[in-house]
Amino acid sequence: MSTLLDRFTNDLLPGNDHWPAASEIEVGAVMQELASTDSEQKSLFDRLLDFLENHKERLALGETLEAEDSELFVFAKVLAFEAYYINPKVREVVARRSMYANRPPQPAGFLVVTRRVSPWNEGEILWRSDGTERSGEVLIEQKKDPKKTWTVEEIRQWRR
Amino acid sequence: MAALRDEVNVLVVGAGAAGAAFTWRLASMGVAVTCLEQGEWQSPESSLTALENWESKRLRERSPNPNIRRNAADYPILDDTSIIKPAIFNGVGGSTILWSAHTPRFRPSDFRVKSLDGVGADWPISYWDLAEYYEINDEIMGTSGQHGDPGNPPRTPRTTPPVPLGLAGSRIADALNDLKWHWWPSDGNILTLDRGSRKACNGCGPCEMGCANGARASVDITYWPEALALGAELRTGATVRRVLVDATGRATGVEWIDPTGQEHVTHANVVVMACNGVGTPRILLNSVSKEHPRGLGNSSDQLGRNLMLHPIPVVTGVFDEDVQSWSGNDAFALLIQEFYENDESRDFKRGYEMQVTRGQGPLVTALGGFSHDIPWGLGHHEAFEKFFGHVATVAVTCEDLPHPNNRVTIDPSVTDRCGVPAARMSYELEENSKKMIKHGVKSATALLVKAGARETHAKPFAPSAGFHLMGTARMGSNPKDSFVNQACRSHDVPNLLVIDGSVFASAGAVNPTPTLQAVALRAADLLREDALV
Ligand SMILES: Cc1cc2nc3c(=O)[nH]c(=O)nc-3n(C[C@H](O)[C@H](O)[C@H](O)COP(=O)(O)OP(=O)(O)OC[C@H]3O[C@@H](n4cnc5c(N)ncnc54)[C@H](O)[C@@H]3O)c2cc1C
Ligand code: SF4
């Protein structure tokens, strides 16, 4: 069975000079482990194994499953990708081939590289009056001095 | 086993964004208040973002969809009748445990959509009634941003400076300046500087799994510690089955189940529902009695109807430059409200906002992120390398109009662990939304192209984005077409309040949480002012 799963997952995630093929990092076994945590997933996984067994003569297992049972295919694809992309070896490749720092998000976090850009419009008031007197008053005040620093006390006065 | 009985003063059901704000406000005025929450406290580590396999956890234990996550506190929400699937969390902190903390406010016109633009329903209150409460909420939650946005009424200086734009955000800001489309750094409940025990954001990415260092607010670390210090009581593991009434039709308390299966009846002077736009109608629809055969307080038949979710089309742009799109808080940096207000020259009513999202790790990218498709098979690795780190996604939050057939009902054929019927969401896109979506996709695509995207990929709506749950017990002056009055009190049952997003009469085109928290704070003040507690 594992060779069938290997064939199927290699169809989805074949290897090349940089990336390991799914079978090289035992994606099939990890898929089984992931699916075993949930009864619904487990029964879908069993269905996948049955399907592969029943179609083992076919050359292209990925294509066959996608054509014949698209729902099961989506389940299997997501599970295979999950198993593949959480693998440390794959994440090392991701880091080598991009600027990604290969570590979990926490506790170190990531530096957010940025530039400072200011909005082109810092003055012209753009919100629309709701037709109340209060809107009119606030619009006039805000137009007079768009950059004014307002206090909670002033804002409290707006309440009816 | 006989039910255990006790008595409290004000009883709040649900310890999420609204329940926490309301409880804190009443407690700060010296009122005795008790909150029942079906879930438990969450530890900072429960975000699971420090694990090597964190991305796997995102699809499972930390999925926002309760039907996938299936934690002990989750209840089933049947969603085969809804094109948008639910996204919530059940536990102390409610859905703020998983939220992105993007916190724009409603604009004044959002409260007057019927009078101004002839669609939907007006609120019986205005922006000006809530402005002060938005400020209180911003302070407690801790809000980064930059005051002085000419696209909104004035507000006070923000707690900390805005989150960084990032490389893609900077490109998009440049493009917006070229296009002369209005934008502004977003307000968000994410701290960019340390504040007490909460640390500054370190740009780790997946806020929607929870924030391990407390930069992103959730009400379990903001309102709740303060509310408890003021004497409020919070009981966890308390699943409310129904609200009880007496022969005069007044609410007398609630019936709830603890984790051992023991039944309890807690009597109260006032019952306050804060279970969100799905959970609240679910429990009230399950609270049938002789006096309230269609569900508690539901003489108008409005309970559960007018569900508004914000359809969110998404457009992803792919850049030649590696913009490191895996870094930075995931959902926002800048807010684009160029198309927010109604424009009669367009073929739809009302408008939308756009926000730029990021924070996609390797697995999420490989699975297609928000809107692209990465082939499997021979072309997979090449396509992955083209996308990973090189994308920015513009999410378009479209104002949703209320429709009576978009609704929450209950289905007794499926129940939760305590025997409470499942909620069912029924939701379809209206014609107005479809036209708005088309316009939004066009604008977002034009923006990304202007920002230098080599290619763009659009999805008409994000099916998993059912996190803005509004309208299902709406506020209004007329008891015939609304569920609560301007003080959030049921028209039919004077000592029953609803204080969450269920009361929204319109949806605006922004994330709803600061508005629903402002509504909750105001409802607490009015309850006190009217000497009802
Ligand atoms: C992934 C995600 C991203 C989001 N991003 C944003 C964002 O960026 N900005 C924004 O404004 N909003 C966002 N939201 C939405 C935001 O979280 C909600 O609007 C907000 O939390 C709603 O507050 P609430 O109090 O109404 O309900 P919730 O916060 O959902 O709390 C309801 C509580 O009630 C409890 N409850 C329900 N039924 C019962 C019962 N029968 N008995 C006892 N307790 C019960 C639940 O366990 C839950 O804890 C996001 C949500 C998610 C899931
Ligand atoms: S990006 Fe910032 S706010 Fe979001 S989870 Fe990471 S540290 Fe917290």
Side-chain angles (χ1 to χ4, degrees):
Chain A
M1 182 51 69
S2 75
T3 47
L4 272 180
L5 255 185
D6 284 349
R7 270 179 55 203
F8 172 68
T9 55
N10 282 348
D11 273 359
L12 299 184
L13 296 158
N16 66 20
D17 288 350
H18 307 288
W19 298 87
S23 63
E24 285 173 49
I25 54 166
E26 293 177 7
V27 160
V30 181
M31 284 168 76
Q32 186 152 24
E33 201 182 307
L34 288 167
S36 69
T37 55
D38 176 287
S39 59
E40 219 170 274
Q41 292 220 350
K42 195 176 169 323
S43 81
L44 280 167
F45 188 74
D46 290 344
R47 252 180 69 200
L48 171 67
L49 295 184
D50 286 347
F51 183 94
L52 297 178
E53 183 61 35
N54 295 335
H55 294 79
K56 61 181 171 205
E57 313 308 336
R58 302 283 188 90
L59 273 181
L61 285 173
E63 232 166 70
T64 309
L65 179 59
E66 189 175 35
E68 293 191 16
D69 190 341
S70 59
E71 218 172 292
L72 188 60
F73 176 78
V74 169
F75 161 77
K77 186 186 106 170
V78 171
L79 197 62
F81 279 25
E82 183 181 356
Y84 188 80
Y85 278 98
I86 60 176
N87 185 287
K89 281 192 188 143
V90 172
R91 294 185 94 90
E92 270 167 33
V93 179
V94 173
R96 267 203 308 276
R97 309 276 304 157
S98 70
M99 300 175 82
Y100 189 55
N102 184 21
R103 56 168 188 264
Q106 289 292 347
F110 300 121
L111 176 72
V112 185
V113 183
T114 192
R115 284 191 287 114
R116 211 186 135 61
V117 186
S118 297
W120 66 274
N121 171 27
E122 297 192 353
E124 187 198 345
I125 307 303
L126 291 173
W127 58 273
R128 175 179 173 209
S129 163
D130 61 5
T132 60
E133 263 178 48
R134 181 66 73 212
S135 263
E137 289 161 14
V138 177
L139 276 166
I140 290 172
E141 275 284 293
Q142 200 180 355
K143 268 180 199 153
K144 261 198 265 165
D145 181 4
K147 293 202 168 157
K148 173 180 161 173
T149 302
W150 290 72
T151 65
V152 181
E153 242 346 286
E154 285 170 305
I155 288 170
R156 186 167 295 134
Q157 304 309 317
W158 293 345
R159 205 175 160 187
R160 270 193 292 226
Chain B
M1 228 180 344
L4 299 175
R5 291 171 184 275
D6 69 340
E7 201 163 330
V8 301
N9 180 25
V10 178
L11 183 67
V12 178
V13 186
F22 183 92
T23 303
W24 167 80
R25 188 69 173 170
L26 276 190
S28 69
M29 294 183 278
V31 177
V33 51
T34 300
C35 178
L36 300 183
E37 165 56 51
Q38 65 190 354
E40 298 297 337
W41 286 92
Q42 304 295 305
S43 68
E45 298 75 44
S46 65
S47 72
L48 307 181
T49 48
L51 299 181
E52 288 294 337
N53 63 349
W54 64 277
E55 280 205 280
S56 174
K57 302 294 178 192
R58 189 174 198 165
L59 303 185
R60 296 165 179 273
E61 290 97 316
R62 298 308 269 183
S63 167
N65 185 331
N67 300 323
I68 294 174
R69 189 178 58 229
R70 281 181 270 165
N71 283 349
D74 288 326
Y75 56 91
I77 302 180
L78 307 176
D79 61 13
D80 52 313
T81 39
S82 176
I83 56 161
I84 298 180
K85 309 301 175 193
I88 62 171
F89 191 82
N90 298 306
V92 178
S95 304
T96 67
I97 295 295
L98 296 185
W99 77 327
S100 300
H102 186 216
T103 56
R105 298 180 183 181
F106 269 40
R107 285 182 169 194
S109 71
D110 289 328
F111 297 86
R112 292 277 178 280
V113 293
K114 182 77 179 169
S115 318
L116 294 174
D117 301 318
V119 288
D122 284 351
W123 295 57
I125 59 173
S126 70
Y127 177 88
W128 315 107
D129 295 314
L130 292 183
E132 163 191 4
Y133 297 103
Y134 277 122
E135 291 294 335
I136 297 169
N137 188 60
D138 281 347
E139 165 61 19
I140 302 229
M141 297 293 278
T143 306
S144 55
Q146 183 178 316
H147 74 287
D149 175 11
N152 280 278
R155 58 193 66 171
T156 59
R158 313 288 69 200
T159 322
T160 69
V163 299
L165 292 173
L167 288 173
S170 310
R171 276 174 167 271
I172 288 171
D174 284 338
L176 288 161
N177 284 348
D178 286 350
L179 290 164
K180 294 261 179 289
W181 287 3
H182 179 66
W183 71 277
W184 200 257
S186 283
D187 269 12
N189 288 161
I190 290 182
L191 298 175
T192 54
L193 300 171
D194 291 355
R195 188 192 203 201
S197 59
R198 293 175 59 192
K199 297 274 171 273
C201 172
N202 62 15
C204 82
C207 310
E208 287 187 8
M209 294 178 71
C211 180
N213 69 359
R216 191 221 54 186
S218 46
V219 296
D220 57 327
I221 60 166
T222 56
Y223 278 106
W224 275 116
E226 296 208 23
L228 297 180
L230 289 162
E233 185 196 7
L234 172 58
R235 298 183 196 169
T236 60
T239 304
V240 171
R241 279 215 293 230
R242 58 195 184 106
V243 179
L244 304 168
V245 281
D246 64 16
T248 68
R250 278 180 70 84
T252 57
V254 303
E255 183 184 283
W256 59 277
I257 312 291
D258 72 22
T260 68
Q262 171 68 51
E263 195 174 303
H264 299 250
V265 170
T266 296
H267 293 287
N269 296 322
V270 177
V271 175
V272 182
M273 296 302 293
C275 299
N276 79 34
V278 170
T280 288
R282 169 178 180 244
I283 296 305
L284 293 178
L285 285 166
N286 193 42
S287 303
V288 248
S289 61
K290 204 154 59 42
E291 295 77 20
H292 300 274
R294 289 198 287 201
L296 187 56
N298 192 22
S299 66
S300 62
D301 192 26
Q302 291 301 302
L303 183 59
R305 295 190 186 275
N306 309 308
L307 173 67
M308 296 176 284
L309 296 175
H310 286 152
I312 304 187
V314 276
V315 184
T316 296
V318 188
F319 299 92
D320 285 331
E321 181 190 4
D322 188 334
V323 290
Q324 302 177 28
S325 37
W326 34 267
S327 68
N329 63 297
D330 60 10
F332 66 89
L334 49 86
L335 180 69
I336 304 153
Q337 294 193 325
E338 178 70 19
F339 304 99
Y340 196 91
E341 296 288 0
N342 196 63
D343 178 346
E344 288 300 332
S345 72
R346 300 194 292 234
D347 64 348
F348 57 89
K349 290 284 187 176
R350 304 293 299 159
Y352 56 86
E353 71 153 36
M354 296 188 272
Q355 69 196 68
V356 180
T357 67
R358 53 195 178 189
Q360 296 177 15
L363 173 58
V364 173
T365 305
L367 289 174
F370 296 111
S371 45
H372 54 269
D373 274 321
I374 290 201
W376 56 271
L378 282 177
H380 178 78
H381 301 303
E382 197 187 328
F384 174 85
E385 289 186 23
K386 185 177 84 179
F387 280 94
F388 183 65
H390 290 259
V391 295
T393 295
V394 175
V396 183
T397 302
C398 292
E399 175 159 350
D400 214 354
L401 298 178
H403 191 283
N405 293 341
N406 283 341
R407 64 190 296 199
V408 172
T409 50
I410 51 174
D411 186 339
S413 68
V414 182
T415 58
D416 69 8
R417 62 177 173 164
C418 301
V420 187
R424 170 174 289 287
M425 271 168 65
S426 303
Y427 180 88
E428 279 177 17
L429 291 179
E430 289 306 301
E431 275 315 304
N432 195 65
S433 298
K434 288 182 188 161
K435 290 178 181 157
M436 196 184 303
I437 285 171
K438 252 194 192 160
H439 198 279
V441 167
K442 217 168 130 191
S443 306
T445 305
L447 174 58
L448 285 162
V449 169
K450 186 85 189 166
R454 155 159 55 92
E455 55 187 84
T456 59
H457 301 261
K459 279 224 166 84
F461 62 89
S464 57
F467 28 56
H468 300 164
L469 307 165
M470 298 165 286
T472 48
R474 71 180 175 188
M475 185 188 277
S477 313
N478 184 350
K480 290 208 167 68
D481 62 17
S482 59
F483 189 82
V484 293
N485 67 14
Q486 57 87 26
C488 292
R489 288 173 219 154
S490 152
H491 290 299
D492 296 353
V493 184
N495 64 338
L496 172 71
L497 276 73
V498 177
I499 57 157
D500 55 38
S502 313
V503 305
F504 282 30
S506 68
V510 288
N511 319 53
T513 310
T515 302
L516 66 86
Q517 289 179 299
V519 165
L521 291 168
R522 176 176 179 271
D525 273 13
L526 295 182
L527 200 63
R528 188 65 172 152
E529 275 170 27
D530 294 347
L532 292 179
V533 288

Tab-separated table of all heavy atoms in Angstrom, chain B residues 64-88:
chain	number	residue	atom	x	y	z
B	64	PRO	N	-10.762	28.529	12.226
B	64	PRO	CA	-11.856	29.391	12.694
B	64	PRO	C	-13.238	28.766	12.490
B	64	PRO	O	-14.223	29.255	13.022
B	64	PRO	CB	-11.698	30.658	11.838
B	64	PRO	CG	-10.953	30.233	10.628
B	64	PRO	CD	-10.096	29.055	11.033
B	65	ASN	N	-13.291	27.693	11.719
B	65	ASN	CA	-14.589	27.068	11.442
B	65	ASN	C	-14.893	26.041	12.539
B	65	ASN	O	-14.194	25.031	12.658
B	65	ASN	CB	-14.550	26.403	10.061
B	65	ASN	CG	-15.898	25.834	9.671
B	65	ASN	OD1	-16.693	25.449	10.525
B	65	ASN	ND2	-16.158	25.792	8.379
B	66	PRO	N	-15.938	26.269	13.343
B	66	PRO	CA	-16.210	25.355	14.464
B	66	PRO	C	-16.557	23.950	14.005
B	66	PRO	O	-16.356	22.983	14.742
B	66	PRO	CB	-17.410	26.007	15.172
B	66	PRO	CG	-18.063	26.860	14.135
B	66	PRO	CD	-16.951	27.323	13.227
B	67	ASN	N	-17.047	23.819	12.774
B	67	ASN	CA	-17.403	22.486	12.274
B	67	ASN	C	-16.160	21.663	11.935
B	67	ASN	O	-16.208	20.437	11.891
B	67	ASN	CB	-18.287	22.594	11.029
B	67	ASN	CG	-19.577	23.329	11.325
B	67	ASN	OD1	-20.144	23.180	12.406
B	67	ASN	ND2	-20.033	24.157	10.396
B	68	ILE	N	-15.049	22.354	11.692
B	68	ILE	CA	-13.781	21.649	11.446
B	68	ILE	C	-13.047	21.448	12.769
B	68	ILE	O	-12.554	20.384	13.087
B	68	ILE	CB	-12.887	22.471	10.482
B	68	ILE	CG1	-13.537	22.548	9.103
B	68	ILE	CG2	-11.477	21.872	10.402
B	68	ILE	CD1	-12.817	23.452	8.129
B	69	ARG	N	-13.020	22.522	13.559
B	69	ARG	CA	-12.241	22.515	14.814
B	69	ARG	C	-12.814	21.530	15.823
B	69	ARG	O	-12.104	20.774	16.452
B	69	ARG	CB	-12.267	23.938	15.372
B	69	ARG	CG	-11.373	24.210	16.541
B	69	ARG	CD	-11.497	25.691	16.909
B	69	ARG	NE	-12.860	26.091	17.224
B	69	ARG	CZ	-13.474	27.166	16.706
B	69	ARG	NH1	-12.849	27.956	15.874
B	69	ARG	NH2	-14.724	27.446	17.037
B	70	ARG	N	-14.092	21.589	16.009
B	70	ARG	CA	-14.834	20.704	16.918
B	70	ARG	C	-14.219	20.558	18.310
B	70	ARG	O	-13.987	19.450	18.801
B	70	ARG	CB	-15.050	19.347	16.258
B	70	ARG	CG	-16.191	19.421	15.261
B	70	ARG	CD	-16.472	18.112	14.606
B	70	ARG	NE	-15.699	17.953	13.402
B	70	ARG	CZ	-15.516	16.824	12.760
B	70	ARG	NH1	-16.034	15.725	13.205
B	70	ARG	NH2	-14.805	16.775	11.664
B	71	ASN	N	-13.934	21.702	18.930
B	71	ASN	CA	-13.518	21.693	20.343
B	71	ASN	C	-14.713	21.328	21.219
B	71	ASN	O	-15.865	21.406	20.766
B	71	ASN	CB	-13.053	23.098	20.763
B	71	ASN	CG	-11.662	23.416	20.245
B	71	ASN	OD1	-10.975	22.539	19.757
B	71	ASN	ND2	-11.271	24.675	20.347
B	72	ALA	N	-14.432	21.019	22.468
B	72	ALA	CA	-15.527	20.631	23.368
B	72	ALA	C	-16.597	21.726	23.460
B	72	ALA	O	-17.790	21.434	23.571
B	72	ALA	CB	-14.960	20.337	24.746
B	73	ALA	N	-16.202	22.982	23.429
B	73	ALA	CA	-17.178	24.075	23.603
B	73	ALA	C	-17.887	24.442	22.304
B	73	ALA	O	-18.793	25.268	22.314
B	73	ALA	CB	-16.475	25.306	24.165
B	74	ASP	N	-17.474	23.861	21.186
B	74	ASP	CA	-18.081	24.253	19.905
B	74	ASP	C	-19.434	23.591	19.713
B	74	ASP	O	-19.624	22.427	20.064
B	74	ASP	CB	-17.150	23.871	18.746
B	74	ASP	CG	-15.926	24.763	18.699
B	74	ASP	OD1	-16.050	25.958	19.041
B	74	ASP	OD2	-14.841	24.266	18.319
B	75	TYR	N	-20.334	24.351	19.141
B	75	TYR	CA	-21.639	23.785	18.799
B	75	TYR	C	-21.751	23.715	17.275
B	75	TYR	O	-21.094	24.483	16.564
B	75	TYR	CB	-22.784	24.618	19.404
B	75	TYR	CG	-22.782	26.081	19.015
B	75	TYR	CD1	-23.472	26.528	17.896
B	75	TYR	CD2	-22.097	27.031	19.775
B	75	TYR	CE1	-23.478	27.872	17.547
B	75	TYR	CE2	-22.096	28.375	19.431
B	75	TYR	CZ	-22.792	28.789	18.311
B	75	TYR	OH	-22.790	30.115	17.963
B	76	PRO	N	-22.556	22.768	16.781
B	76	PRO	CA	-22.628	22.635	15.323
B	76	PRO	C	-23.383	23.802	14.682
B	76	PRO	O	-24.403	24.256	15.215
B	76	PRO	CB	-23.395	21.322	15.116
B	76	PRO	CG	-24.019	20.997	16.420
B	76	PRO	CD	-23.337	21.759	17.498
B	77	ILE	N	-22.849	24.285	13.568
B	77	ILE	CA	-23.555	25.290	12.765
B	77	ILE	C	-23.711	24.681	11.370
B	77	ILE	O	-22.726	24.514	10.653
B	77	ILE	CB	-22.767	26.614	12.692
B	77	ILE	CG1	-22.519	27.168	14.099
B	77	ILE	CG2	-23.526	27.637	11.843
B	77	ILE	CD1	-21.754	28.486	14.136
B	78	LEU	N	-24.929	24.319	11.029
B	78	LEU	CA	-25.154	23.663	9.733
B	78	LEU	C	-25.034	24.738	8.659
B	78	LEU	O	-25.688	25.783	8.737
B	78	LEU	CB	-26.529	22.998	9.721
B	78	LEU	CG	-26.766	22.062	10.915
B	78	LEU	CD1	-28.182	21.510	10.919
B	78	LEU	CD2	-25.746	20.921	10.918
B	79	ASP	N	-24.162	24.473	7.681
B	79	ASP	CA	-23.852	25.554	6.746
B	79	ASP	C	-23.992	25.153	5.281
B	79	ASP	O	-23.537	25.860	4.397
B	79	ASP	CB	-22.442	26.104	7.023
B	79	ASP	CG	-21.365	25.041	6.860
B	79	ASP	OD1	-21.665	23.969	6.303
B	79	ASP	OD2	-20.224	25.287	7.286
B	80	ASP	N	-24.635	23.987	5.037
B	80	ASP	CA	-24.785	23.589	3.630
B	80	ASP	C	-25.747	24.523	2.897
B	80	ASP	O	-25.810	24.520	1.669
B	80	ASP	CB	-25.274	22.131	3.538
B	80	ASP	CG	-26.509	21.881	4.377
B	80	ASP	OD1	-26.534	22.301	5.553
B	80	ASP	OD2	-27.480	21.290	3.856
B	81	THR	N	-26.491	25.332	3.635
B	81	THR	CA	-27.401	26.277	3.001
B	81	THR	C	-26.803	27.683	2.955
B	81	THR	O	-27.521	28.657	2.714
B	81	THR	CB	-28.738	26.321	3.782
B	81	THR	OG1	-28.426	26.250	5.189
B	81	THR	CG2	-29.636	25.182	3.411
B	82	SER	N	-25.529	27.793	3.201
B	82	SER	CA	-24.884	29.110	3.175
B	82	SER	C	-23.619	29.042	2.326
B	82	SER	O	-22.782	28.155	2.524
B	82	SER	CB	-24.520	29.540	4.604
B	82	SER	OG	-23.818	30.751	4.575
B	83	ILE	N	-23.484	29.995	1.404
B	83	ILE	CA	-22.271	29.961	0.564
B	83	ILE	C	-21.060	30.464	1.343
B	83	ILE	O	-19.933	30.288	0.920
B	83	ILE	CB	-22.447	30.789	-0.724
B	83	ILE	CG1	-22.833	32.227	-0.377
B	83	ILE	CG2	-23.462	30.172	-1.658
B	83	ILE	CD1	-22.571	33.167	-1.500
B	84	ILE	N	-21.299	31.126	2.479
B	84	ILE	CA	-20.179	31.576	3.322
B	84	ILE	C	-20.237	30.805	4.635
B	84	ILE	O	-21.292	30.686	5.250
B	84	ILE	CB	-20.258	33.104	3.554
B	84	ILE	CG1	-20.134	33.815	2.202
B	84	ILE	CG2	-19.157	33.570	4.507
B	84	ILE	CD1	-20.193	35.319	2.253
B	85	LYS	N	-19.114	30.250	5.037
B	85	LYS	CA	-19.088	29.352	6.189
B	85	LYS	C	-18.727	30.105	7.470
B	85	LYS	O	-18.004	31.100	7.429
B	85	LYS	CB	-18.061	28.224	5.959
B	85	LYS	CG	-18.231	27.508	4.616
B	85	LYS	CD	-19.603	26.878	4.468
B	85	LYS	CE	-19.817	26.278	3.088
B	85	LYS	NZ	-21.214	25.939	2.810
B	86	PRO	N	-19.217	29.603	8.620
B	86	PRO	CA	-19.010	30.350	9.868
B	86	PRO	C	-17.553	30.356	10.331
B	86	PRO	O	-16.826	29.384	10.141
B	86	PRO	CB	-19.872	29.580	10.876
B	86	PRO	CG	-19.956	28.194	10.331
B	86	PRO	CD	-19.932	28.334	8.833
B	87	ALA	N	-17.162	31.456	10.958
B	87	ALA	CA	-15.815	31.571	11.538
B	87	ALA	C	-15.983	32.227	12.903
B	87	ALA	O	-16.251	33.430	12.994
B	87	ALA	CB	-14.914	32.404	10.634
B	88	ILE	N	-15.861	31.437	13.955
B	88	ILE	CA	-16.050	31.946	15.317
B	88	ILE	C	-15.130	31.180	16.266
B	88	ILE	O	-14.525	30.182	15.889
B	88	ILE	CB	-17.515	31.783	15.823
B	88	ILE	CG1	-17.919	30.303	15.871
B	88	ILE	CG2	-18.475	32.585	14.977
B	88	ILE	CD1	-19.256	30.052	16.572
